[in-house]
Amino acid sequence: MAQPRRRGLNGAITQMWSLLAPVYDLPVLQQWVYRPPHDEVIAQLRAHGARKIADIACGTGILSDRIEREIKPDEIYGVDMSDGMLAQARARTDRVKFLRGPAEQLPFDDGALDAVVTTSAFHFFDQPAALREFHRVLAPGGLAAVSALTSPQWLPPLPRDNRWKPQHNPSPAEMRRLFERAEFTVSDQHRIRRPPWLLLVSDSITVGIKN
């Protein structure tokens, strides 16, 4: 099977996160950077009543563990490409099944899940391929929730085909188009709620339903 097509520096970035996995768990970083999108995803999963859930690019498993403890789904999986991240995730909890793999080639059968979520990682994916894969593994009516950095409107965009740019931060309008091209119906999209002093962090959540 062909490997997913990611941007030029992403292999090095995956290796870097394996080395930086301990830093990722610093309480101040988690509280102010990662917890707000995690809270949004938890709320979406509760509202949807999801029972078979995969957390893609799960890192050290903080969100996956929260989903297991707070929602208590029938099945919860964490998927990541970084061995270092997965080692810490497995040390954190044995109640989540952690799997190694890219967002563009998920280790699930067609229609196996009823929710797929990802936070703070979508900018590194082959975005159209990842959303098509999310759609494939979801059952009809399944939910895909993506929390992603967005491009500030006041910055001139870099060329999307620049292979040395390791990430692409789509605008909310572009996120909506990506979801619709992957055959999702967008049910919600809004900016992540953050304290006023963090309003310069520009990220949003987009939620799609598989028809």
Side-chain angles (χ1 to χ4, degrees):
M1 181 180 294
Q3 292 298 306
R5 184 175 169 276
R6 292 192 171 188
R7 295 176 179 272
L9 298 180
N10 275 337
I13 289 168
T14 298
Q15 294 176 358
M16 177 193 74
W17 277 116
S18 287
L19 296 174
L20 295 182
V23 178
Y24 183 84
D25 280 357
L26 287 175
V28 66
L29 189 65
Q30 285 298 322
Q31 179 178 357
W32 299 116
V33 177
Y34 295 112
R35 188 175 182 90
H38 289 182
D39 290 344
E40 297 270 3
V41 164
I42 293 281
Q44 292 289 340
L45 292 172
R46 285 191 192 281
H48 187 261
R51 303 307 305 163
K52 297 180 180 180
I53 303 166
D55 174 20
I56 311 305
C58 65
T60 61
I62 290 177
L63 176 57
S64 306
D65 184 42
R66 276 192 66 189
I67 291 170
E68 194 283 326
R69 289 185 289 104
E70 298 180 23
I71 295 180
K72 300 192 182 304
D74 299 329
E75 299 175 18
I76 171 65
Y77 302 91
V79 182
D80 203 280
M81 291 181 67
S82 165
D83 291 325
M85 290 287 192
L86 289 172
Q88 286 199 208
R90 291 176 178 127
R92 179 184 305 281
T93 177
D94 60 3
R95 298 184 302 273
V96 177
K97 185 171 184 179
F98 291 104
L99 305 170
R100 190 179 190 280
E104 303 87 352
Q105 293 176 2
L106 295 176
F108 304 107
D109 293 335
D110 296 358
L113 304 171
D114 58 27
V116 174
V117 303
T118 187
T119 61
S120 307
F122 190 71
H123 46 284
F124 291 126
F125 298 167
D126 179 332
Q127 293 163 0
L131 284 171
R132 288 194 300 269
E133 189 71 347
F134 294 179
H135 190 276
R136 179 188 70 79
V137 302
L138 286 171
L143 173 144
V146 176
S147 163
L149 295 170
T150 56
S151 296
Q153 298 303 306
W154 46 270
L155 283 179
L158 291 175
R160 185 181 173 90
D161 61 354
N162 178 1
R163 69 190 182 94
W164 299 113
K165 180 174 180 283
Q167 66 181 54
H168 174 65
N169 304 330
S171 69
E174 186 179 356
M175 283 291 291
R176 183 175 289 270
R177 288 193 296 271
L178 285 166
F179 267 72
E180 291 171 348
R181 288 170 185 162
E183 301 185 0
F184 285 102
T185 297
V186 176
S187 62
D188 190 12
Q189 185 182 65
H190 61 266
R191 186 165 179 167
I192 299 295
R193 299 171 182 88
R194 293 184 179 276
W197 55 275
L198 278 177
L199 289 180
L200 288 178
V201 177
S202 179
D203 55 352
S204 64
I205 185 168
T206 305
V207 181
I209 303 297
K210 178 174 177 175
N211 297 323

